[in-house]
Amino acid sequence: SMGYALGNVVLQTAGKIDCTSSPERIITVRRGYVCKCQKRESNMHKMRPTKEFNFIPDGSRDMSVDAMIIGDIAMVGLQPELDGITVAQIRDRSPYEKTMVCCFVNGNGKNMPQRESYRLIQRAAMNSPFAEGSAEQTRDVAVGLLHDLKNNIC
């Protein structure tokens, strides 16, 4: 799978790093949460500019946010693909100056557009399995986890 291949490349790259000092600590933690879902529009011909679209709720899904702290660097792993604005919000709200956000970690969660995409009825929202507000929920879980790690609550 692509995730496995990417993981191997990351490990190969990490193996070439020459550290002059060891980090004082390495912490990994996972936080689960439940995300609301919606039915995806599978007919690509229906996904065109429109002023009306019926977003149909479709239960919920167990999700997780993974975080790793290596010294003063934070890495956040998310299952879904978030847009650049939401990723930037996670980095900006992180208590760690150096924060890296990775998507498609531990599974492919598909596209998770921000709330504005639903309001504008954009294709990303029509084709997403996640309900409106899911990106913001994921962002808040990730940021909360980072703050808990920084405050030694985890």
Side-chain angles (χ1 to χ4, degrees):
S1 77
M2 288 181 65
Y4 183 78
L6 177 60
N8 281 332
V9 170
V10 168
L11 290 173
Q12 289 171 1
T13 302
K16 296 176 183 176
I17 296 172
D18 184 25
C19 296
T20 56
S21 65
S22 297
E24 58 192 58
R25 65 184 184 141
I26 297 176
I27 300 170
T28 60
V29 67
R30 172 176 286 167
R31 180 166 290 169
Y33 65 104
V34 177
C35 192
K36 291 182 181 174
C37 294
Q38 69 179 15
K39 292 190 184 222
R40 293 175 63 193
E41 178 54 65
S42 57
N43 184 340
M44 299 299 254
H45 297 291
K46 289 184 180 180
M47 288 190 287
R48 61 184 184 281
T50 182
K51 293 187 179 197
E52 293 181 15
F53 186 81
N54 189 19
F55 293 104
I56 302 168
D58 191 26
S60 61
R61 181 173 170 180
D62 291 333
M63 302 289 289
S64 65
V65 172
D66 294 285
M68 178 183 288
I69 308 301
I70 303 174
D72 63 346
I73 300 169
M75 290 184 277
V76 178
L78 308 169
Q79 290 174 315
E81 175 187 16
L82 296 180
D83 62 88
I85 292 171
T86 308
V87 168
Q89 290 171 345
I90 293 171
R91 284 195 322 261
D92 292 344
R93 296 175 187 185
S94 172
Y96 295 89
E97 184 178 338
K98 301 170 192 158
T99 301
M100 180 173 61
V101 180
C102 304
C103 297
F104 296 129
V105 174
N106 292 323
N108 178 356
K110 302 292 182 203
N111 181 41
M112 187 181 273
Q114 62 177 314
R115 193 178 304 272
E116 184 76 357
S117 184
Y118 294 85
R119 188 184 70 74
L120 296 173
I121 311 175
Q122 294 177 334
R123 183 171 184 236
M126 290 187 266
N127 193 35
S128 175
F130 301 105
E132 180 180 356
S134 297
E136 291 76 13
Q137 177 189 15
T138 299
R139 174 201 63 209
D140 293 345
V141 170
V143 170
L145 178 58
L146 291 171
H147 280 274
D148 288 350
L149 282 165
K150 188 73 169 182
N151 294 319
N152 295 316
I153 295 175
C154 293

